[in-house]
Amino acid sequence: MFKCCQPLNRVRYSGWPYIQKPNSEFAAMAAICRQQIFSSQGEGQGRGNAGVVQMKFLWAVSMCCALLCIQNFPQRINAEPVLASSLGFCKTVPVLRGAPLHCCLPPPARKPIRFKFPTCANGGPPVMRERRPAHVVQNDPEYVRKYNLAYARMKALPDSDPRSFLNQWRVHCSFCNEAFKQRETPGPLGKATGVLLQVHYSWTFLPWHRMYLYYHERILADLIGDPTFALPFWNWDNQLDPIASMMPFMFLPNFPVNNSALLDVNRNADHMPPKILYLGYNGKLEAEGKLNLTDEQIRYENLCVMYNQVATKISARSFLGGPYVVGTDNTAASVNVSAGETPGESGGMEIVHNVAHEWTGLINDPAHPDNEDMGNFIYAARDPIFYSHHSNVDRLWDVWKTIPDKVTIAGNRKRVDYTSNDFLDSEFTFFDENQDMVVVKIRDSLDSAKLGYKYTDVSEADNLWINYEPLPPHKPSQPWKPSDWPAVVPSGNNTIGKVPASFKLERRAPTKKDLKGKGLKHTNQLQEDILLEKVRIPHSAYARFDVFINFPEANRETHLYMSEYVGTFTHLPSGMVDMSSSVSQSSVTESNGKFRFFNIRYSAGQALRRLGIADWNTDVVVTIVSKGVRKTNPTIDFYFSNIKQDFQ
């Protein structure tokens, strides 16, 4: 146990479900109320003003009571945040090979506690942990020994211990694969809904994984008695250092320092150094021998992907993902839009992070149809490299907030997280280094400095993709116009097939109506997007869609480092109900497969300006290139309900 920098979260709930403790907003409101009341009492002199004073006093008391109740009511009016806990209902997770997996977590030995930010025993700020690049710290033998020792001790813990490596894997396996149900009321034993929980495909993705890493790191540090210990980050977006985007050497066999606890047998042997992670990776093309890019081309495409998936995503929705409120089930064929429900909507960061999962796992290996470990959300956290990968994902959330606005016409928009209570009050449980179950809200996760850690500055490498400039627009082989291609049929079975699909997209200028609920003052601060609505994808399917504007000639082998490319969507299997067709992606039908429904968002404003399209009334052609990522040719099509222009 640490002597310093323990989180002061020892106050336990008086019951399950808990009574929420007053927060800083409550205290501030109380102070204002006291000031109002006492100023009312002091107004007026003499008996003639007594009635007026009394009425003002009663008015102030009534208003303050109402405000205090609204401020401190756990389930705020008109707010439906997702509430989740590992207690209560838990189902097994089906896989292709073997029996369904038990991913349920042990019950806590004590009553859950509410999260508090870390601080030293004297009340001062905590010691700041520094997460450093993996390709740098692997040159520090002392660090590698500590890192390996921490995982060795974690793996030696009994299965009944929630800190054990087995249970750390189960945290991800369960929360990310619909083992639990959403809850209607706060607290670890709040009433459960009938809807399964999924922390991917929405605004919960980054905050949940941040707190998962936060406690995982604290457990490792506690096991070796070093409160300064921090996870490394696999700096795979770094195209400046020649080895940064390679699989870090300290996770591989034959490393000069003992690293046995950092190894995992289920990694792609074809992607070991000197291979660099390719963010435009397509396993199907690789299996066909058609993925023949030089390292220089890969690095340039990597810059392009990072630019389109992070730098061009200025709204919280486009970067973090879409809303996720209680009752939302993105496996349902229809959602209640009027109640705030949406299909799954992954943000740009989640989408690009999927590629590193896919690239590291055993894709195209018939002996491993589940693409374990990293290539499948069910197994991913069994590989220690997972936590280093997600450390970089978490770092990029911090970086995103600092990127200047080169996206909107105004050029002065700040990148900020969601501010709605549905987002801020979403709630999850984790086990800490003391084996206590801690209840955490998303609002607790938004500032990494307050959580007591920071990242080594690698801004020189970051700036390469932040300031990326694609190649000039291509010249068409023959003249064409947008009306040469069909528009989609709204709510119809529009197809994304094995052959690239092109559609005409009608555009318009943004109006004040588009500003509603976005916290912006002017329409020129809006980000123009292309939105694919209700794309239907089987749980078990691997999918990748690359999208181009005004380039109907695009195909599976088209390079991404071009002005017409606007982004990528990727989907990895998770929470499968039926894995029977996971390998070949054939025979997945409505009768034997279960589907997810997604909205897929591509930021298009900058690309349109690069293409010289300044008139809002100019229609464009959107080309969707579906790339199978498995060795076997896919025989299924994907369907979507609509494609439209959207403003965020």
Side-chain angles (χ1 to χ4, degrees), residues 57-113:
F57 176 75
L58 292 174
W59 176 86
V61 170
S62 300
M63 290 301 297
C64 287
C65 286
L67 287 171
L68 287 170
C69 288
I70 292 172
Q71 283 287 320
N72 201 46
F73 197 73
Q75 192 73 14
R76 294 178 179 176
I77 295 174
N78 294 326
E80 294 182 328
V82 166
L83 309 166
S85 167
S86 61
L87 288 175
F89 173 89
C90 180
K91 72 175 184 67
T92 56
V93 177
V95 292
L96 177 60
R97 188 176 296 276
L101 297 177
H102 172 81
C103 294
C104 305
L105 296 168
R110 298 174 289 275
K111 289 184 178 181
I113 56 179

Side-chain angles (χ1 to χ4, degrees), residues 216-238:
H216 185 81
E217 182 177 72
R218 291 189 67 87
I219 293 168
L220 291 171
D222 186 64
L223 290 171
I224 59 174
D226 181 359
T228 67
F229 175 82
L231 288 165
F233 64 92
W234 178 11
N235 196 193
W236 42 257
D237 61 296
N238 182 342

